[in-house]
Amino acid sequence: MKKMELLCGCALALVAAAPLAAQTANTTSSQNTAPTNGPGQESTAAAQAPAQTYGEDVVVTAQRQSQRLQDVPIAVSAFTAENLERQQIVNPVALQQTLPNVTFTKTNFTSSSFTIRGIGDLCVGVTCDSATAIHVNDMPLLTTRLFETEFFDLERIEVLRGPQGTLFGRNATSGVVNFITAKPDLSGIHAAGEAEYGNYDSKRVRGMINLPLTETFGVRLAGTYLKRDGYTKNLYDDSRIDDRDLYAVRGTVSFEPTSDTRLDLMAYYFREDDNRSRIQKQLCNRDATGVLGCSPDRLEYEHPNGNSTLAGVQSSREFLGIALGALGPVFTNFGLQSIYGADTYTGVVNPADNRTVRVDFTPTYFAEEEQYMGKFFHDFGHVSLNLTGGYTRNVVQSRSDYNLAVENSYLNNPGLVALNAVAGLTAAQAAATFGAAGPAIPGPIAAVRNTLIPNGPAGGICQSSNDPNNVGVYGGNTIGCRSTSIDFDESSETNKQYSLEGHIDSSFDGPFNFLVGGIYVDKRTYNNSYYVNAFGLDYAAGLLGAAQTIGARLAGATTYPNTFRASPFYRNNTDFYRLKSYGIFGEAYLDLGDWIKFTAGLRYNNDKKFVRARTTYLQDANGLAVVVPYGSTNIAQAIGYSGLDFDANTPGNQLFAEGGVGFDRITGRGVVDFKITPDNLLYASYSRGYKSGGVNPPLSAVFSVPTTFVPEKVDSFEIGSKNTFGNGRLRLNLTGFYYKYQGLQLSRIVARTAVNDNVNADIYGVEIESVVSPIPAFVVNMNASYLKTKVSADKFLANPRDPSGGRSDAVIIKDLTNASNCAVVPTVAGNAAGANAFVTAINGAVGLRAPTAVAGTNTTGAFGICSALQAQAAAIGAAFGGISVLGSGVEVNIRGNRLPQAPTYKASVGAQYTIDIGSSGWTVVPRADLNYTGGFSASIFNDTIDRVQGYEIVNAQLQINGPNERFYARAFVSNLTENDAITGQYVTDQSSGLFTNVFTVEPRRYGIAAGFKF
């Protein structure tokens, strides 16, 4: 179907959207908000109304004014407190299941992606802006843990689909999710509470108390608490991980001296401290060669080949023998394994279940958030003033088992046995064994031995704990000594945000009105770090430092200390990031009678970003050795600035790379809406969305990738129809849209860090939402959506999973120096023999093997040294018919590919029936919901391995309500079919073996709850 035909077809259909049960209307604006008195949820008006009525309208503030949902010419879905309860929407995972063209998934670095119409947080990095703007009471939250907590004491949730900017504080290219919290009700005392118990020993409590202290002043306190056992079984120690232990509290004070003036002050605190796992499962089809680690053809319940990892490569006999030159023959014997032999995962079983693992590192999760905000409203008559300002702070620190595996034991490893033996040699014995260089060897080797295997090769290995000084076990910071490598990672950061926004709205009697406003946001991120720790990394840091010490002493140095190469773990560290942003926005409205209205809006946005960052592991940004004396607790203190440079683009030696970017844009929108009847609306709109660019996360300068990425913009065309029939018995809406994207920000992993590219894309689709209530007691809500996305212009990128790009004449190389991949290709296409002969010749000169077939590809691969191959290709490549070495691999054109996290089809249906028990006032309300999310691609490369299957979620509950719903009891089940469906995937770096982290829906939950409200 052509895009314009699709839009025209939508315009002819008089159907409209509302995911709300018809009886749950009667909410008011965020400035003068009605109270809620469910378990912090249901509105007083709704509670006092008859249990089932139809024909009422939901009032929302999607356009910064109180309007019926059916009168808003925007694709917006709204959920009242009652709907959240009835549809079991307790968190964002459940919220997205009931929305058309919306998906939600956790992502790899303690974050998440709320994707609307195929546009989500595809950009990875501290300087990335969110595509979906998250607001609380209209205040934007640039970084928040809100999607990790449970919903409580909300008046409603509004989800706006499509670019926003002329009404809301921050630009958003995909849409806005606005959480409207319940405010104090000054008319009377109210309270509510609910206790729930379910499987996984789940205990959830919610409560609220509303106290009007005077006729003009009131207080509302609310909170929630959740504690449950883990969703994942750990076979290693028969424990459960991925549990939750959290609470959140919110207090709001309201002062309303007159009906025209209101001041709301809100404070919120959230805390979680438990063993929640950041990742649910890892999948891999093991690559026997180790060239890739995981084959790029399919996902299986296997572990990667450990010889493909950075820890495996740099602790191997081959690396130590080649990298250390004249000392290579000595250090070869210290290798923990051979890259051509058994690896640390050989024979290790990955349980074939998404909720079962075998891990030796228990995850830890700590998160904390504070929100303080004030909201002032005053109506001057024909003009009103709104001011919203606040401060937020949030912290997160999450540790997880990096490879979700218990590796093979290192006790009595031959390399460690050899290390221990050399460390114990006397000077005379060393001279007899190694010749004239011998006496310089045992001392530095003994320093490594004493740190990593202090009890000998049979006594266990000691490892680094990650630390901000980057010295690990060699500076005394250790996680202890065990028989196996405890590979783990940590993601942590601290964020602070200040914001102030104001807007003036008119309400003149004539045809013209306006809104004009401005916002300033100052966001700061401190110590955003991502660590990866493994014994192989510690081992390489110690041996390379020892080799450097030995070399210095052989060169005549008499006081050169025993050293190690810092840092002995991988760390991607953004020390400081700051965003300073301001915007000026406004809209003008021309209302020509009761049937036609024009809206025009403009926005100017200015963003300035500064970032200070670096990546540390064994070498600085210039490839120079960073050597630190043993026992030092800080790199800079140990060696000073003179030996350290992390910014090759700035003269002198720099401890961090610093960069700044700035962007400004003018965007806008125009809308025309026609009121055919008071209950039938047609509208058409155009809007331009904008999201600023940024700076890519840091990586070593030995890899060549762009340091910045540019802004993205979208031209959005939308038409829609909203209709109510039969006095509310039927509400049907249809929306059609077409997006033309330029510079869509898309992330991939290169050289152990995220690199964000810009691509162009076209997106179009249809959304249908409806509520049917043939009788007041029976309500059915339905929605469905269709979405088509594609990359619209040529874009050539190398696929990290398969650096050959599908070419049978390419040779995939696993770089022995950094565990990345490159590709050797012939100048004349099809000359596979020449490419393989070239690699065989160069590898043979340094003792490495010839290429061999790599399963899952149609070509060969080998361990090698990419820089050496590149140099020799220029020198002697002609003898093999011409050779090229491609640093990231063979690039493929992704034009026409689907965007990630963009299912073509999505649908949901829910039904409930209220049964009156005689005239007692008691009611029984059974409800069932079926939500379906279609299949999608998890990667822009759209390979078979990237395909995620569609899935369905079935929820059901039965609630018994007392007279006037003052108390109730409920039995519920969610995910009735016990679906373990995948919601998102993340492919790790080549130096990790290219395994895939997957994120899943929550398992089947069931339980009972009881509550009261008055």
mmCIF file of all heavy atoms in Angstrom, residues 77 181 187 231 257 354 363 382 391 459 464 477 521 557 580 611 711 783 792 797 871 904 981 1011:
data_model
loop_
_atom_site.group_PDB
_atom_site.id
_atom_site.type_symbol
_atom_site.label_atom_id
_atom_site.label_comp_id
_atom_site.label_asym_id
_atom_site.label_seq_id
_atom_site.Cartn_x
_atom_site.Cartn_y
_atom_site.Cartn_z
ATOM 1 N N SER A 77 -3.203 8.375 24.100
ATOM 2 C CA SER A 77 -3.900 7.373 24.905
ATOM 3 C C SER A 77 -3.784 7.780 26.361
ATOM 4 O O SER A 77 -2.728 8.251 26.793
ATOM 5 C CB SER A 77 -3.287 5.986 24.708
ATOM 6 O OG SER A 77 -3.327 5.603 23.346
ATOM 7 N N THR A 181 0.456 12.721 38.748
ATOM 8 C CA THR A 181 0.269 12.186 40.098
ATOM 9 C C THR A 181 -0.972 12.785 40.746
ATOM 10 O O THR A 181 -1.417 13.883 40.393
ATOM 11 C CB THR A 181 1.499 12.480 40.970
ATOM 12 O OG1 THR A 181 1.626 13.890 41.152
ATOM 13 C CG2 THR A 181 2.767 11.947 40.323
ATOM 14 N N SER A 187 -11.506 18.836 49.783
ATOM 15 C CA SER A 187 -12.904 18.726 50.180
ATOM 16 C C SER A 187 -13.141 17.781 51.346
ATOM 17 O O SER A 187 -14.213 17.800 51.953
ATOM 18 C CB SER A 187 -13.755 18.261 48.991
ATOM 19 O OG SER A 187 -13.388 16.925 48.615
ATOM 20 N N TYR A 231 13.117 -14.110 39.938
ATOM 21 C CA TYR A 231 12.460 -14.782 38.822
ATOM 22 C C TYR A 231 13.358 -15.854 38.183
ATOM 23 O O TYR A 231 12.887 -16.675 37.411
ATOM 24 C CB TYR A 231 12.098 -13.761 37.745
ATOM 25 C CG TYR A 231 10.912 -12.886 38.070
ATOM 26 C CD1 TYR A 231 10.750 -11.656 37.445
ATOM 27 C CD2 TYR A 231 9.950 -13.278 38.994
ATOM 28 C CE1 TYR A 231 9.654 -10.840 37.708
ATOM 29 C CE2 TYR A 231 8.861 -12.479 39.274
ATOM 30 C CZ TYR A 231 8.715 -11.253 38.628
ATOM 31 O OH TYR A 231 7.636 -10.461 38.903
ATOM 32 N N PRO A 257 -5.678 29.214 47.625
ATOM 33 C CA PRO A 257 -6.376 30.304 48.321
ATOM 34 C C PRO A 257 -7.665 30.726 47.632
ATOM 35 O O PRO A 257 -8.597 31.184 48.291
ATOM 36 C CB PRO A 257 -5.345 31.435 48.324
ATOM 37 C CG PRO A 257 -4.439 31.120 47.176
ATOM 38 C CD PRO A 257 -4.378 29.631 47.098
ATOM 39 N N ASN A 354 15.034 -19.767 29.592
ATOM 40 C CA ASN A 354 15.296 -18.339 29.739
ATOM 41 C C ASN A 354 15.296 -17.870 31.182
ATOM 42 O O ASN A 354 15.727 -16.753 31.461
ATOM 43 C CB ASN A 354 14.269 -17.536 28.938
ATOM 44 C CG ASN A 354 14.579 -17.506 27.461
ATOM 45 O OD1 ASN A 354 15.629 -17.973 27.027
ATOM 46 N ND2 ASN A 354 13.658 -16.987 26.667
ATOM 47 N N PRO A 363 24.335 -11.226 41.249
ATOM 48 C CA PRO A 363 24.156 -9.820 40.852
ATOM 49 C C PRO A 363 23.747 -8.951 42.038
ATOM 50 O O PRO A 363 23.153 -9.429 43.006
ATOM 51 C CB PRO A 363 23.035 -9.891 39.805
ATOM 52 C CG PRO A 363 22.290 -11.135 40.139
ATOM 53 C CD PRO A 363 23.315 -12.099 40.663
ATOM 54 N N HIS A 382 -8.610 36.199 31.395
ATOM 55 C CA HIS A 382 -8.461 35.710 30.024
ATOM 56 C C HIS A 382 -7.070 35.161 29.756
ATOM 57 O O HIS A 382 -6.799 34.669 28.656
ATOM 58 C CB HIS A 382 -8.778 36.823 29.029
ATOM 59 C CG HIS A 382 -10.221 37.230 29.032
ATOM 60 N ND1 HIS A 382 -11.242 36.344 28.759
ATOM 61 C CD2 HIS A 382 -10.820 38.424 29.302
ATOM 62 C CE1 HIS A 382 -12.411 36.975 28.843
ATOM 63 N NE2 HIS A 382 -12.182 38.242 29.179
ATOM 64 N N TYR A 391 14.013 19.799 40.832
ATOM 65 C CA TYR A 391 15.356 19.229 40.933
ATOM 66 C C TYR A 391 15.201 17.720 41.091
ATOM 67 O O TYR A 391 14.325 17.247 41.834
ATOM 68 C CB TYR A 391 16.087 19.806 42.138
ATOM 69 C CG TYR A 391 17.331 19.025 42.541
ATOM 70 C CD1 TYR A 391 18.525 19.170 41.839
ATOM 71 C CD2 TYR A 391 17.293 18.144 43.624
ATOM 72 C CE1 TYR A 391 19.660 18.450 42.213
ATOM 73 C CE2 TYR A 391 18.429 17.441 44.013
ATOM 74 C CZ TYR A 391 19.598 17.588 43.294
ATOM 75 O OH TYR A 391 20.718 16.879 43.661
ATOM 76 N N GLY A 459 46.263 -23.053 44.918
ATOM 77 C CA GLY A 459 45.572 -22.350 45.995
ATOM 78 C C GLY A 459 44.548 -21.342 45.562
ATOM 79 O O GLY A 459 44.020 -20.611 46.394
ATOM 80 N N SER A 464 40.890 -8.696 40.524
ATOM 81 C CA SER A 464 40.584 -7.290 40.807
ATOM 82 C C SER A 464 39.107 -7.094 41.071
ATOM 83 O O SER A 464 38.251 -7.743 40.463
ATOM 84 C CB SER A 464 40.964 -6.403 39.612
ATOM 85 O OG SER A 464 42.346 -6.292 39.463
ATOM 86 N N ASN A 477 42.954 -3.804 45.737
ATOM 87 C CA ASN A 477 41.496 -3.822 45.614
ATOM 88 C C ASN A 477 41.085 -5.118 44.924
ATOM 89 O O ASN A 477 41.166 -5.247 43.712
ATOM 90 C CB ASN A 477 41.029 -2.614 44.802
ATOM 91 C CG ASN A 477 39.540 -2.364 44.947
ATOM 92 O OD1 ASN A 477 38.790 -3.255 45.327
ATOM 93 N ND2 ASN A 477 39.121 -1.155 44.635
ATOM 94 N N VAL A 521 16.881 23.777 31.085
ATOM 95 C CA VAL A 521 17.247 22.515 31.726
ATOM 96 C C VAL A 521 18.761 22.453 31.851
ATOM 97 O O VAL A 521 19.489 22.743 30.889
ATOM 98 C CB VAL A 521 16.749 21.300 30.916
ATOM 99 C CG1 VAL A 521 17.201 20.002 31.581
ATOM 100 C CG2 VAL A 521 15.234 21.321 30.796
ATOM 101 N N ALA A 557 68.599 -0.077 33.884
ATOM 102 C CA ALA A 557 67.938 0.600 35.006
ATOM 103 C C ALA A 557 68.149 -0.202 36.279
ATOM 104 O O ALA A 557 67.971 -1.415 36.301
ATOM 105 C CB ALA A 557 66.456 0.761 34.716
ATOM 106 N N LYS A 580 23.299 21.842 28.845
ATOM 107 C CA LYS A 580 22.590 23.085 29.109
ATOM 108 C C LYS A 580 21.682 23.353 27.916
ATOM 109 O O LYS A 580 22.158 23.492 26.788
ATOM 110 C CB LYS A 580 23.570 24.243 29.335
ATOM 111 C CG LYS A 580 24.385 24.114 30.604
ATOM 112 C CD LYS A 580 25.130 25.392 30.952
ATOM 113 C CE LYS A 580 26.226 25.679 29.957
ATOM 114 N NZ LYS A 580 27.031 26.870 30.350
ATOM 115 N N VAL A 611 31.544 17.015 27.529
ATOM 116 C CA VAL A 611 31.789 15.694 28.105
ATOM 117 C C VAL A 611 33.286 15.506 28.335
ATOM 118 O O VAL A 611 34.122 15.961 27.540
ATOM 119 C CB VAL A 611 31.229 14.586 27.187
ATOM 120 C CG1 VAL A 611 31.932 14.564 25.831
ATOM 121 C CG2 VAL A 611 31.308 13.228 27.859
ATOM 122 N N PRO A 711 22.547 15.736 14.729
ATOM 123 C CA PRO A 711 21.142 15.663 15.156
ATOM 124 C C PRO A 711 20.293 14.866 14.177
ATOM 125 O O PRO A 711 20.668 14.630 13.026
ATOM 126 C CB PRO A 711 20.708 17.131 15.202
ATOM 127 C CG PRO A 711 21.971 17.912 15.280
ATOM 128 C CD PRO A 711 22.982 17.123 14.515
ATOM 129 N N ASN A 783 -7.539 -2.426 20.554
ATOM 130 C CA ASN A 783 -6.703 -1.602 19.687
ATOM 131 C C ASN A 783 -5.866 -2.497 18.800
ATOM 132 O O ASN A 783 -5.621 -3.670 19.114
ATOM 133 C CB ASN A 783 -5.838 -0.617 20.481
ATOM 134 C CG ASN A 783 -4.728 -1.283 21.259
ATOM 135 O OD1 ASN A 783 -3.829 -1.889 20.685
ATOM 136 N ND2 ASN A 783 -4.779 -1.177 22.587
ATOM 137 N N SER A 792 15.851 4.493 4.241
ATOM 138 C CA SER A 792 15.421 5.037 2.956
ATOM 139 C C SER A 792 16.562 5.451 2.037
ATOM 140 O O SER A 792 16.308 5.825 0.887
ATOM 141 C CB SER A 792 14.508 6.244 3.197
ATOM 142 O OG SER A 792 15.195 7.254 3.910
ATOM 143 N N LEU A 797 27.482 -0.122 6.453
ATOM 144 C CA LEU A 797 28.020 -0.389 7.777
ATOM 145 C C LEU A 797 28.531 -1.814 7.837
ATOM 146 O O LEU A 797 27.987 -2.711 7.187
ATOM 147 C CB LEU A 797 26.943 -0.201 8.857
ATOM 148 C CG LEU A 797 26.317 1.182 9.015
ATOM 149 C CD1 LEU A 797 25.163 1.116 10.008
ATOM 150 C CD2 LEU A 797 27.343 2.202 9.462
ATOM 151 N N ALA A 871 49.947 -3.720 6.957
ATOM 152 C CA ALA A 871 51.260 -3.261 6.481
ATOM 153 C C ALA A 871 51.786 -4.154 5.360
ATOM 154 O O ALA A 871 52.318 -3.660 4.356
ATOM 155 C CB ALA A 871 52.248 -3.235 7.650
ATOM 156 N N THR A 904 5.646 -5.124 13.118
ATOM 157 C CA THR A 904 4.699 -4.722 12.083
ATOM 158 C C THR A 904 3.277 -4.692 12.623
ATOM 159 O O THR A 904 2.503 -3.781 12.321
ATOM 160 C CB THR A 904 4.785 -5.682 10.886
ATOM 161 O OG1 THR A 904 6.132 -5.708 10.396
ATOM 162 C CG2 THR A 904 3.869 -5.230 9.761
ATOM 163 N N ALA A 981 8.730 -14.859 26.494
ATOM 164 C CA ALA A 981 9.067 -14.171 25.250
ATOM 165 C C ALA A 981 10.160 -13.133 25.447
ATOM 166 O O ALA A 981 10.289 -12.511 26.502
ATOM 167 C CB ALA A 981 7.825 -13.508 24.673
ATOM 168 N N GLY A 1011 -8.171 -4.535 49.616
ATOM 169 C CA GLY A 1011 -7.943 -3.125 49.895
ATOM 170 C C GLY A 1011 -9.194 -2.417 50.367
ATOM 171 O O GLY A 1011 -10.300 -2.967 50.359
#
